Every structure is written in structure tokens, then in C-alpha cells.
Amino acid sequence: MPQENDERQITELLQHAASGEGSAQEALYKVVYADLTRIARHRLYESGSFSVLDSPGLVSEAYLRMVGKEASIAQNRRMFFGYASKVMRNIILDHVREMQAEKRGSGVSDVTLYTGVAGVSFRDDQLEHLEQALQRLQRIDERACNIVELRYFGGLTMEECAEHQEISLATASRAWEKARVFLASELAV
């Protein structure tokens, strides 16, 4: 039952951090660092345009953005890693936007978003279109959008996505397929 113990430990640390215990935030960081690094590696997998943004950098930036907020947003392990996936997504998008502002359209390179099913490459300028498509998907089907976030930006397996969303694997798979079809039509991939 390691995951149950892990779940309990993270939940307790989140509660202690919410009560203002500084040592709890440090302990939480140590406990979740390996999982956050795994998620970050998935986000940056074969993305040549993120040479300045590496896994430890993404983890550090994400954790800094979450400090003080994670306790009020995430009461357990699933919520914490779901929130971490969203924060990493935002960091990557901010980084791409910053690079585009510097480049002003020149030297566009590919970013690979790895889903575990198949790698899908988006050029930096297309990542903004992906974000807009995800926002439209969220208005239509929030569950499908959450599955995409967890798969693309969180690097979770379908089983982990189902567990995170507290739904069956079949329901998560249907939401994933619906999202893939929607995004393919929106992005004309």
C-alpha cells in the first residue's frame, strides 16, 4: 500500500502547510520532488526550444508558484498533482510566449508534447492555438479537458487520469478519445 501511505503523507503535509508550518512546505517539496520531476520531464520531452527550461528548473518554478497556494487549492495528493500539471502548463506557455516575443516570428522550432500514446509535435506558434482549443474544450466538456491536461501536461497514464478524476478507466478513455477528436478538428492536425 505504498501509494496509500504516500497519499496520506502528502495530505498531512498539505494540511500542516495550510496551518503555516514552514517545515511542512520543505518536507512536502522533498516528498513530491521525484514525481514533479517525472511530470516535468514529460513536459519537456524532446523539446529543443526549451533549452533554457530544464526539468529541475520547471519543477522549481512550478513549486515556487504553488507555495502558499497549494494548501488552499489541494487537500490531497490527486489534487496537488492535478494543480501542479496546470501550473507547469502555464509556465511552458509563458515561456513560449516570451520566446515568441523575442523572436517576433523568426526561427520557429518544434515543441513535442508527449502523451504516452504518440508524440505530437507543435511549433511554438501553434502552442498558443492549442491553448485556445483547450479553453474551448473546457467550455464544452470540462472532464475531457482535464484528461488532456493530465495526459499532455501532467504526463499521467490513462489509469492515473481515471484515478485522479475519480472515474472508471472506460469513462476516462472515452473522454480522452472525445478530446483527441475535438482537438484534431480544432487544430486541423
Side-chain angles (χ1 to χ4, degrees):
M1 298 256 167
Q3 184 162 350
E4 187 176 304
N5 290 336
D6 187 39
E7 174 87 25
R8 193 173 321 126
Q9 181 182 19
I10 291 172
T11 301
E12 288 174 6
L13 288 171
L14 286 167
Q15 290 169 350
H16 290 293
S19 67
E21 290 182 38
S23 62
Q25 287 185 348
E26 187 177 318
L28 177 65
Y29 186 73
K30 289 178 182 177
V31 169
V32 300
Y33 183 80
D35 287 330
L36 288 176
T37 301
R38 179 184 55 83
I39 291 170
R41 281 192 190 116
H42 279 282
R43 295 310 67 177
L44 300 172
Y45 181 75
E46 291 183 1
S47 54
S49 66
F50 293 130
S51 59
V52 223
L53 191 60
D54 59 1
S55 296
L58 182 56
V59 168
S60 297
E61 179 68 23
Y63 198 78
L64 286 174
R65 288 190 187 187
M66 293 183 327
V67 167
K69 295 181 185 176
E70 83 278 350
S72 62
I73 292 172
Q75 292 90 31
N76 61 44
R77 181 182 185 279
R78 283 192 312 268
M79 292 176 73
F80 178 83
F81 285 106
Y83 182 60
S85 295
K86 287 179 188 253
V87 170
M88 287 186 193
R89 167 186 170 188
N90 290 334
I91 292 169
I92 291 170
L93 286 168
D94 289 348
H95 185 74
V96 167
R97 288 177 184 137
E98 184 179 310
M99 288 174 47
Q100 285 177 338
E102 291 173 8
K103 292 181 186 178
R104 292 191 168 78
S106 66
V108 176
S109 60
D110 286 346
V111 176
T112 300
L113 299 175
Y114 183 71
T115 66
V117 174
V120 178
S121 293
F122 291 93
R123 288 192 329 264
D124 289 348
D125 61 339
Q126 292 175 317
L127 200 56
E128 191 70 37
H129 295 294
L130 173 63
E131 174 63 16
Q132 293 166 359
L134 284 172
Q135 289 172 2
R136 286 189 293 275
L137 178 60
Q138 185 168 22
R139 287 191 297 270
I140 295 167
D141 187 337
E142 188 170 349
R143 176 182 288 160
C145 183
N146 289 339
I147 296 291
V148 171
E149 282 181 343
L150 294 169
R151 294 277 291 166
Y152 274 156
F153 296 97
L156 274 62
T157 66
M158 283 306 300
E159 291 80 10
E160 292 169 327
C161 290
E163 179 185 325
H164 180 276
Q165 293 292 296
E166 297 179 338
I167 56 177
S168 70
L169 180 57
T171 301
S173 295
R174 283 191 299 274
W176 172 244
E177 285 306 314
K178 181 179 181 179
R180 288 180 59 197
V181 169
F182 177 83
L183 291 174
S185 69
E186 288 287 307
L187 300 172
V189 175

PDB file of all heavy atoms in Angstrom, residues 108-141:
ATOM      1  N   VAL A 108      11.120  29.659 -35.819  1.00  0.00           N
ATOM      2  CA  VAL A 108      10.165  28.862 -35.066  1.00  0.00           C
ATOM      3  C   VAL A 108      10.630  27.412 -35.034  1.00  0.00           C
ATOM      4  O   VAL A 108      11.038  26.852 -36.037  1.00  0.00           O
ATOM      5  CB  VAL A 108       8.758  28.966 -35.712  1.00  0.00           C
ATOM      6  CG1 VAL A 108       7.771  28.065 -35.006  1.00  0.00           C
ATOM      7  CG2 VAL A 108       8.282  30.401 -35.687  1.00  0.00           C
ATOM      8  N   SER A 109      10.587  26.814 -33.827  1.00  0.00           N
ATOM      9  CA  SER A 109      11.006  25.422 -33.688  1.00  0.00           C
ATOM     10  C   SER A 109       9.874  24.586 -33.127  1.00  0.00           C
ATOM     11  O   SER A 109       8.845  25.102 -32.710  1.00  0.00           O
ATOM     12  CB  SER A 109      12.227  25.338 -32.768  1.00  0.00           C
ATOM     13  OG  SER A 109      11.885  25.843 -31.510  1.00  0.00           O
ATOM     14  N   ASP A 110      10.060  23.267 -33.111  1.00  0.00           N
ATOM     15  CA  ASP A 110       9.030  22.351 -32.649  1.00  0.00           C
ATOM     16  C   ASP A 110       9.105  22.121 -31.151  1.00  0.00           C
ATOM     17  O   ASP A 110      10.177  22.122 -30.559  1.00  0.00           O
ATOM     18  CB  ASP A 110       9.171  20.984 -33.336  1.00  0.00           C
ATOM     19  CG  ASP A 110       8.713  21.028 -34.776  1.00  0.00           C
ATOM     20  OD1 ASP A 110       8.061  22.012 -35.166  1.00  0.00           O
ATOM     21  OD2 ASP A 110       8.993  20.062 -35.511  1.00  0.00           O
ATOM     22  N   VAL A 111       7.945  21.920 -30.557  1.00  0.00           N
ATOM     23  CA  VAL A 111       7.802  21.521 -29.166  1.00  0.00           C
ATOM     24  C   VAL A 111       7.074  20.194 -29.207  1.00  0.00           C
ATOM     25  O   VAL A 111       6.063  20.061 -29.883  1.00  0.00           O
ATOM     26  CB  VAL A 111       6.942  22.537 -28.379  1.00  0.00           C
ATOM     27  CG1 VAL A 111       6.726  22.047 -26.965  1.00  0.00           C
ATOM     28  CG2 VAL A 111       7.590  23.893 -28.381  1.00  0.00           C
ATOM     29  N   THR A 112       7.580  19.198 -28.521  1.00  0.00           N
ATOM     30  CA  THR A 112       6.910  17.907 -28.507  1.00  0.00           C
ATOM     31  C   THR A 112       6.151  17.754 -27.216  1.00  0.00           C
ATOM     32  O   THR A 112       6.726  17.856 -26.145  1.00  0.00           O
ATOM     33  CB  THR A 112       7.929  16.754 -28.650  1.00  0.00           C
ATOM     34  OG1 THR A 112       8.618  16.923 -29.875  1.00  0.00           O
ATOM     35  CG2 THR A 112       7.222  15.414 -28.617  1.00  0.00           C
ATOM     36  N   LEU A 113       4.867  17.524 -27.336  1.00  0.00           N
ATOM     37  CA  LEU A 113       4.039  17.223 -26.191  1.00  0.00           C
ATOM     38  C   LEU A 113       3.791  15.738 -26.252  1.00  0.00           C
ATOM     39  O   LEU A 113       3.121  15.242 -27.138  1.00  0.00           O
ATOM     40  CB  LEU A 113       2.725  18.007 -26.257  1.00  0.00           C
ATOM     41  CG  LEU A 113       2.889  19.521 -26.259  1.00  0.00           C
ATOM     42  CD1 LEU A 113       1.549  20.194 -26.453  1.00  0.00           C
ATOM     43  CD2 LEU A 113       3.523  19.988 -24.972  1.00  0.00           C
ATOM     44  N   TYR A 114       4.342  15.001 -25.310  1.00  0.00           N
ATOM     45  CA  TYR A 114       4.299  13.548 -25.347  1.00  0.00           C
ATOM     46  C   TYR A 114       3.146  13.041 -24.504  1.00  0.00           C
ATOM     47  O   TYR A 114       3.050  13.348 -23.329  1.00  0.00           O
ATOM     48  CB  TYR A 114       5.620  12.970 -24.830  1.00  0.00           C
ATOM     49  CG  TYR A 114       5.674  11.481 -24.918  1.00  0.00           C
ATOM     50  CD1 TYR A 114       5.785  10.854 -26.146  1.00  0.00           C
ATOM     51  CD2 TYR A 114       5.568  10.712 -23.775  1.00  0.00           C
ATOM     52  CE1 TYR A 114       5.815   9.479 -26.227  1.00  0.00           C
ATOM     53  CE2 TYR A 114       5.606   9.337 -23.852  1.00  0.00           C
ATOM     54  CZ  TYR A 114       5.729   8.725 -25.080  1.00  0.00           C
ATOM     55  OH  TYR A 114       5.753   7.360 -25.158  1.00  0.00           O
ATOM     56  N   THR A 115       2.252  12.266 -25.113  1.00  0.00           N
ATOM     57  CA  THR A 115       1.069  11.796 -24.412  1.00  0.00           C
ATOM     58  C   THR A 115       1.215  10.390 -23.892  1.00  0.00           C
ATOM     59  O   THR A 115       0.357   9.918 -23.170  1.00  0.00           O
ATOM     60  CB  THR A 115      -0.146  11.792 -25.358  1.00  0.00           C
ATOM     61  OG1 THR A 115       0.084  10.825 -26.379  1.00  0.00           O
ATOM     62  CG2 THR A 115      -0.382  13.159 -25.938  1.00  0.00           C
ATOM     63  N   GLY A 116       2.257   9.680 -24.256  1.00  0.00           N
ATOM     64  CA  GLY A 116       2.393   8.295 -23.869  1.00  0.00           C
ATOM     65  C   GLY A 116       1.758   7.384 -24.896  1.00  0.00           C
ATOM     66  O   GLY A 116       2.023   6.197 -24.939  1.00  0.00           O
ATOM     67  N   VAL A 117       0.903   7.932 -25.748  1.00  0.00           N
ATOM     68  CA  VAL A 117       0.278   7.167 -26.816  1.00  0.00           C
ATOM     69  C   VAL A 117       1.046   7.422 -28.106  1.00  0.00           C
ATOM     70  O   VAL A 117       1.445   6.520 -28.800  1.00  0.00           O
ATOM     71  CB  VAL A 117      -1.207   7.575 -26.991  1.00  0.00           C
ATOM     72  CG1 VAL A 117      -1.804   6.876 -28.190  1.00  0.00           C
ATOM     73  CG2 VAL A 117      -1.989   7.259 -25.738  1.00  0.00           C
ATOM     74  N   ALA A 118       1.251   8.671 -28.391  1.00  0.00           N
ATOM     75  CA  ALA A 118       2.010   9.055 -29.572  1.00  0.00           C
ATOM     76  C   ALA A 118       2.506  10.469 -29.352  1.00  0.00           C
ATOM     77  O   ALA A 118       1.806  11.285 -28.766  1.00  0.00           O
ATOM     78  CB  ALA A 118       1.136   8.998 -30.819  1.00  0.00           C
ATOM     79  N   GLY A 119       3.707  10.768 -29.811  1.00  0.00           N
ATOM     80  CA  GLY A 119       4.232  12.115 -29.691  1.00  0.00           C
ATOM     81  C   GLY A 119       3.561  13.014 -30.712  1.00  0.00           C
ATOM     82  O   GLY A 119       3.375  12.639 -31.853  1.00  0.00           O
ATOM     83  N   VAL A 120       3.152  14.176 -30.291  1.00  0.00           N
ATOM     84  CA  VAL A 120       2.536  15.138 -31.179  1.00  0.00           C
ATOM     85  C   VAL A 120       3.394  16.379 -31.114  1.00  0.00           C
ATOM     86  O   VAL A 120       3.616  16.916 -30.034  1.00  0.00           O
ATOM     87  CB  VAL A 120       1.088  15.466 -30.733  1.00  0.00           C
ATOM     88  CG1 VAL A 120       0.482  16.514 -31.635  1.00  0.00           C
ATOM     89  CG2 VAL A 120       0.250  14.206 -30.702  1.00  0.00           C
ATOM     90  N   SER A 121       3.888  16.811 -32.257  1.00  0.00           N
ATOM     91  CA  SER A 121       4.747  17.983 -32.277  1.00  0.00           C
ATOM     92  C   SER A 121       3.952  19.213 -32.673  1.00  0.00           C
ATOM     93  O   SER A 121       3.177  19.188 -33.620  1.00  0.00           O
ATOM     94  CB  SER A 121       5.897  17.795 -33.271  1.00  0.00           C
ATOM     95  OG  SER A 121       6.746  16.783 -32.809  1.00  0.00           O
ATOM     96  N   PHE A 122       4.161  20.272 -31.923  1.00  0.00           N
ATOM     97  CA  PHE A 122       3.578  21.560 -32.232  1.00  0.00           C
ATOM     98  C   PHE A 122       4.712  22.559 -32.336  1.00  0.00           C
ATOM     99  O   PHE A 122       5.617  22.558 -31.506  1.00  0.00           O
ATOM    100  CB  PHE A 122       2.639  22.025 -31.108  1.00  0.00           C
ATOM    101  CG  PHE A 122       1.391  21.219 -30.985  1.00  0.00           C
ATOM    102  CD1 PHE A 122       1.327  20.143 -30.127  1.00  0.00           C
ATOM    103  CD2 PHE A 122       0.277  21.553 -31.731  1.00  0.00           C
ATOM    104  CE1 PHE A 122       0.177  19.403 -30.007  1.00  0.00           C
ATOM    105  CE2 PHE A 122      -0.882  20.817 -31.615  1.00  0.00           C
ATOM    106  CZ  PHE A 122      -0.940  19.733 -30.757  1.00  0.00           C
ATOM    107  N   ARG A 123       4.646  23.416 -33.351  1.00  0.00           N
ATOM    108  CA  ARG A 123       5.597  24.518 -33.383  1.00  0.00           C
ATOM    109  C   ARG A 123       5.192  25.486 -32.279  1.00  0.00           C
ATOM    110  O   ARG A 123       4.054  25.515 -31.837  1.00  0.00           O
ATOM    111  CB  ARG A 123       5.549  25.224 -34.737  1.00  0.00           C
ATOM    112  CG  ARG A 123       6.148  24.426 -35.862  1.00  0.00           C
ATOM    113  CD  ARG A 123       6.359  25.266 -37.117  1.00  0.00           C
ATOM    114  NE  ARG A 123       5.404  26.329 -37.297  1.00  0.00           N
ATOM    115  CZ  ARG A 123       4.299  26.242 -38.050  1.00  0.00           C
ATOM    116  NH1 ARG A 123       4.000  25.121 -38.672  1.00  0.00           N
ATOM    117  NH2 ARG A 123       3.483  27.273 -38.164  1.00  0.00           N
ATOM    118  N   ASP A 124       6.152  26.280 -31.836  1.00  0.00           N
ATOM    119  CA  ASP A 124       5.883  27.225 -30.755  1.00  0.00           C
ATOM    120  C   ASP A 124       4.655  28.084 -31.050  1.00  0.00           C
ATOM    121  O   ASP A 124       3.842  28.325 -30.176  1.00  0.00           O
ATOM    122  CB  ASP A 124       7.085  28.131 -30.524  1.00  0.00           C
ATOM    123  CG  ASP A 124       8.258  27.395 -29.894  1.00  0.00           C
ATOM    124  OD1 ASP A 124       8.062  26.259 -29.428  1.00  0.00           O
ATOM    125  OD2 ASP A 124       9.356  27.964 -29.880  1.00  0.00           O
ATOM    126  N   ASP A 125       4.525  28.542 -32.302  1.00  0.00           N
ATOM    127  CA  ASP A 125       3.394  29.402 -32.634  1.00  0.00           C
ATOM    128  C   ASP A 125       2.072  28.636 -32.599  1.00  0.00           C
ATOM    129  O   ASP A 125       1.014  29.221 -32.441  1.00  0.00           O
ATOM    130  CB  ASP A 125       3.591  30.093 -33.977  1.00  0.00           C
ATOM    131  CG  ASP A 125       3.715  29.125 -35.142  1.00  0.00           C
ATOM    132  OD1 ASP A 125       4.043  27.942 -34.929  1.00  0.00           O
ATOM    133  OD2 ASP A 125       3.491  29.558 -36.287  1.00  0.00           O
ATOM    134  N   GLN A 126       2.102  27.319 -32.719  1.00  0.00           N
ATOM    135  CA  GLN A 126       0.883  26.521 -32.651  1.00  0.00           C
ATOM    136  C   GLN A 126       0.478  26.228 -31.210  1.00  0.00           C
ATOM    137  O   GLN A 126      -0.674  25.892 -30.959  1.00  0.00           O
ATOM    138  CB  GLN A 126       1.065  25.189 -33.394  1.00  0.00           C
ATOM    139  CG  GLN A 126       1.196  25.338 -34.890  1.00  0.00           C
ATOM    140  CD  GLN A 126       1.489  23.995 -35.541  1.00  0.00           C
ATOM    141  OE1 GLN A 126       2.301  23.226 -35.033  1.00  0.00           O
ATOM    142  NE2 GLN A 126       0.848  23.740 -36.659  1.00  0.00           N
ATOM    143  N   LEU A 127       1.386  26.352 -30.282  1.00  0.00           N
ATOM    144  CA  LEU A 127       1.073  26.079 -28.882  1.00  0.00           C
ATOM    145  C   LEU A 127       0.012  27.045 -28.372  1.00  0.00           C
ATOM    146  O   LEU A 127      -0.855  26.671 -27.587  1.00  0.00           O
ATOM    147  CB  LEU A 127       2.344  26.152 -28.031  1.00  0.00           C
ATOM    148  CG  LEU A 127       2.294  25.463 -26.687  1.00  0.00           C
ATOM    149  CD1 LEU A 127       1.914  23.998 -26.832  1.00  0.00           C
ATOM    150  CD2 LEU A 127       3.626  25.577 -25.994  1.00  0.00           C
ATOM    151  N   GLU A 128       0.033  28.256 -28.840  1.00  0.00           N
ATOM    152  CA  GLU A 128      -0.998  29.233 -28.474  1.00  0.00           C
ATOM    153  C   GLU A 128      -2.362  28.785 -28.994  1.00  0.00           C
ATOM    154  O   GLU A 128      -3.379  28.905 -28.301  1.00  0.00           O
ATOM    155  CB  GLU A 128      -0.637  30.611 -29.043  1.00  0.00           C
ATOM    156  CG  GLU A 128      -1.484  31.732 -28.505  1.00  0.00           C
ATOM    157  CD  GLU A 128      -1.191  32.036 -27.049  1.00  0.00           C
ATOM    158  OE1 GLU A 128      -0.027  31.955 -26.635  1.00  0.00           O
ATOM    159  OE2 GLU A 128      -2.144  32.364 -26.323  1.00  0.00           O
ATOM    160  N   HIS A 129      -2.395  28.207 -30.208  1.00  0.00           N
ATOM    161  CA  HIS A 129      -3.651  27.672 -30.760  1.00  0.00           C
ATOM    162  C   HIS A 129      -4.145  26.488 -29.923  1.00  0.00           C
ATOM    163  O   HIS A 129      -5.346  26.326 -29.718  1.00  0.00           O
ATOM    164  CB  HIS A 129      -3.483  27.255 -32.222  1.00  0.00           C
ATOM    165  CG  HIS A 129      -3.181  28.410 -33.134  1.00  0.00           C
ATOM    166  ND1 HIS A 129      -4.080  29.418 -33.378  1.00  0.00           N
ATOM    167  CD2 HIS A 129      -2.070  28.714 -33.824  1.00  0.00           C
ATOM    168  CE1 HIS A 129      -3.546  30.307 -34.193  1.00  0.00           C
ATOM    169  NE2 HIS A 129      -2.311  29.896 -34.479  1.00  0.00           N
ATOM    170  N   LEU A 130      -3.210  25.667 -29.453  1.00  0.00           N
ATOM    171  CA  LEU A 130      -3.575  24.550 -28.579  1.00  0.00           C
ATOM    172  C   LEU A 130      -4.231  25.080 -27.316  1.00  0.00           C
ATOM    173  O   LEU A 130      -5.258  24.561 -26.873  1.00  0.00           O
ATOM    174  CB  LEU A 130      -2.352  23.698 -28.231  1.00  0.00           C
ATOM    175  CG  LEU A 130      -2.578  22.594 -27.197  1.00  0.00           C
ATOM    176  CD1 LEU A 130      -3.579  21.562 -27.699  1.00  0.00           C
ATOM    177  CD2 LEU A 130      -1.252  21.920 -26.841  1.00  0.00           C
ATOM    178  N   GLU A 131      -3.667  26.122 -26.733  1.00  0.00           N
ATOM    179  CA  GLU A 131      -4.229  26.703 -25.516  1.00  0.00           C
ATOM    180  C   GLU A 131      -5.649  27.204 -25.775  1.00  0.00           C
ATOM    181  O   GLU A 131      -6.562  26.957 -24.975  1.00  0.00           O
ATOM    182  CB  GLU A 131      -3.339  27.843 -25.010  1.00  0.00           C
ATOM    183  CG  GLU A 131      -3.903  28.606 -23.833  1.00  0.00           C
ATOM    184  CD  GLU A 131      -4.073  27.767 -22.576  1.00  0.00           C
ATOM    185  OE1 GLU A 131      -3.501  26.670 -22.483  1.00  0.00           O
ATOM    186  OE2 GLU A 131      -4.802  28.218 -21.676  1.00  0.00           O
ATOM    187  N   GLN A 132      -5.875  27.882 -26.893  1.00  0.00           N
ATOM    188  CA  GLN A 132      -7.214  28.371 -27.226  1.00  0.00           C
ATOM    189  C   GLN A 132      -8.188  27.212 -27.435  1.00  0.00           C
ATOM    190  O   GLN A 132      -9.341  27.263 -26.991  1.00  0.00           O
ATOM    191  CB  GLN A 132      -7.154  29.264 -28.457  1.00  0.00           C
ATOM    192  CG  GLN A 132      -6.414  30.553 -28.213  1.00  0.00           C
ATOM    193  CD  GLN A 132      -6.063  31.299 -29.496  1.00  0.00           C
ATOM    194  OE1 GLN A 132      -6.367  30.841 -30.598  1.00  0.00           O
ATOM    195  NE2 GLN A 132      -5.411  32.442 -29.347  1.00  0.00           N
ATOM    196  N   ALA A 133      -7.722  26.158 -28.106  1.00  0.00           N
ATOM    197  CA  ALA A 133      -8.570  24.979 -28.329  1.00  0.00           C
ATOM    198  C   ALA A 133      -8.917  24.313 -27.002  1.00  0.00           C
ATOM    199  O   ALA A 133     -10.053  23.857 -26.795  1.00  0.00           O
ATOM    200  CB  ALA A 133      -7.877  23.993 -29.267  1.00  0.00           C
ATOM    201  N   LEU A 134      -7.948  24.252 -26.075  1.00  0.00           N
ATOM    202  CA  LEU A 134      -8.220  23.666 -24.753  1.00  0.00           C
ATOM    203  C   LEU A 134      -9.240  24.498 -23.980  1.00  0.00           C
ATOM    204  O   LEU A 134     -10.093  23.948 -23.274  1.00  0.00           O
ATOM    205  CB  LEU A 134      -6.928  23.532 -23.942  1.00  0.00           C
ATOM    206  CG  LEU A 134      -6.003  22.395 -24.347  1.00  0.00           C
ATOM    207  CD1 LEU A 134      -4.678  22.479 -23.607  1.00  0.00           C
ATOM    208  CD2 LEU A 134      -6.661  21.047 -24.103  1.00  0.00           C
ATOM    209  N   GLN A 135      -9.187  25.792 -24.123  1.00  0.00           N
ATOM    210  CA  GLN A 135     -10.170  26.644 -23.457  1.00  0.00           C
ATOM    211  C   GLN A 135     -11.563  26.406 -24.025  1.00  0.00           C
ATOM    212  O   GLN A 135     -12.544  26.350 -23.270  1.00  0.00           O
ATOM    213  CB  GLN A 135      -9.780  28.119 -23.586  1.00  0.00           C
ATOM    214  CG  GLN A 135      -8.570  28.483 -22.761  1.00  0.00           C
ATOM    215  CD  GLN A 135      -8.064  29.881 -23.018  1.00  0.00           C
ATOM    216  OE1 GLN A 135      -8.626  30.642 -23.812  1.00  0.00           O
ATOM    217  NE2 GLN A 135      -6.982  30.247 -22.352  1.00  0.00           N
ATOM    218  N   ARG A 136     -11.666  26.222 -25.356  1.00  0.00           N
ATOM    219  CA  ARG A 136     -12.968  25.901 -25.967  1.00  0.00           C
ATOM    220  C   ARG A 136     -13.453  24.530 -25.502  1.00  0.00           C
ATOM    221  O   ARG A 136     -14.628  24.355 -25.190  1.00  0.00           O
ATOM    222  CB  ARG A 136     -12.879  25.954 -27.497  1.00  0.00           C
ATOM    223  CG  ARG A 136     -12.798  27.378 -28.043  1.00  0.00           C
ATOM    224  CD  ARG A 136     -12.939  27.424 -29.542  1.00  0.00           C
ATOM    225  NE  ARG A 136     -11.836  26.804 -30.245  1.00  0.00           N
ATOM    226  CZ  ARG A 136     -10.691  27.395 -30.559  1.00  0.00           C
ATOM    227  NH1 ARG A 136     -10.493  28.656 -30.235  1.00  0.00           N
ATOM    228  NH2 ARG A 136      -9.751  26.752 -31.208  1.00  0.00           N
ATOM    229  N   LEU A 137     -12.538  23.557 -25.450  1.00  0.00           N
ATOM    230  CA  LEU A 137     -12.899  22.223 -24.984  1.00  0.00           C
ATOM    231  C   LEU A 137     -13.389  22.267 -23.548  1.00  0.00           C
ATOM    232  O   LEU A 137     -14.362  21.589 -23.201  1.00  0.00           O
ATOM    233  CB  LEU A 137     -11.704  21.264 -25.111  1.00  0.00           C
ATOM    234  CG  LEU A 137     -11.913  19.835 -24.608  1.00  0.00           C
ATOM    235  CD1 LEU A 137     -13.042  19.142 -25.367  1.00  0.00           C
ATOM    236  CD2 LEU A 137     -10.620  19.040 -24.733  1.00  0.00           C
ATOM    237  N   GLN A 138     -12.772  23.075 -22.716  1.00  0.00           N
ATOM    238  CA  GLN A 138     -13.181  23.169 -21.316  1.00  0.00           C
ATOM    239  C   GLN A 138     -14.612  23.679 -21.200  1.00  0.00           C
ATOM    240  O   GLN A 138     -15.368  23.218 -20.353  1.00  0.00           O
ATOM    241  CB  GLN A 138     -12.237  24.061 -20.529  1.00  0.00           C
ATOM    242  CG  GLN A 138     -12.562  24.085 -19.050  1.00  0.00           C
ATOM    243  CD  GLN A 138     -11.477  24.719 -18.219  1.00  0.00           C
ATOM    244  OE1 GLN A 138     -10.671  25.488 -18.726  1.00  0.00           O
ATOM    245  NE2 GLN A 138     -11.442  24.398 -16.944  1.00  0.00           N
ATOM    246  N   ARG A 139     -14.994  24.610 -22.065  1.00  0.00           N
ATOM    247  CA  ARG A 139     -16.370  25.118 -22.028  1.00  0.00           C
ATOM    248  C   ARG A 139     -17.362  24.032 -22.453  1.00  0.00           C
ATOM    249  O   ARG A 139     -18.484  23.986 -21.963  1.00  0.00           O
ATOM    250  CB  ARG A 139     -16.502  26.342 -22.925  1.00  0.00           C
ATOM    251  CG  ARG A 139     -15.842  27.595 -22.349  1.00  0.00           C
ATOM    252  CD  ARG A 139     -16.200  28.837 -23.123  1.00  0.00           C
ATOM    253  NE  ARG A 139     -15.740  28.827 -24.495  1.00  0.00           N
ATOM    254  CZ  ARG A 139     -14.564  29.274 -24.911  1.00  0.00           C
ATOM    255  NH1 ARG A 139     -13.706  29.760 -24.034  1.00  0.00           N
ATOM    256  NH2 ARG A 139     -14.242  29.246 -26.182  1.00  0.00           N
ATOM    257  N   ILE A 140     -16.928  23.132 -23.364  1.00  0.00           N
ATOM    258  CA  ILE A 140     -17.809  22.083 -23.880  1.00  0.00           C
ATOM    259  C   ILE A 140     -17.826  20.873 -22.958  1.00  0.00           C
ATOM    260  O   ILE A 140     -18.883  20.325 -22.649  1.00  0.00           O
ATOM    261  CB  ILE A 140     -17.350  21.653 -25.298  1.00  0.00           C
ATOM    262  CG1 ILE A 140     -17.522  22.821 -26.265  1.00  0.00           C
ATOM    263  CG2 ILE A 140     -18.114  20.433 -25.773  1.00  0.00           C
ATOM    264  CD1 ILE A 140     -16.821  22.600 -27.593  1.00  0.00           C
ATOM    265  N   ASP A 141     -16.638  20.427 -22.541  1.00  0.00           N
ATOM    266  CA  ASP A 141     -16.531  19.208 -21.730  1.00  0.00           C
ATOM    267  C   ASP A 141     -15.330  19.341 -20.806  1.00  0.00           C
ATOM    268  O   ASP A 141     -14.190  19.050 -21.186  1.00  0.00           O
ATOM    269  CB  ASP A 141     -16.374  17.992 -22.644  1.00  0.00           C
ATOM    270  CG  ASP A 141     -16.427  16.673 -21.890  1.00  0.00           C
ATOM    271  OD1 ASP A 141     -16.156  16.655 -20.664  1.00  0.00           O
ATOM    272  OD2 ASP A 141     -16.734  15.655 -22.536  1.00  0.00           O
TER     273      ASP A 141
END
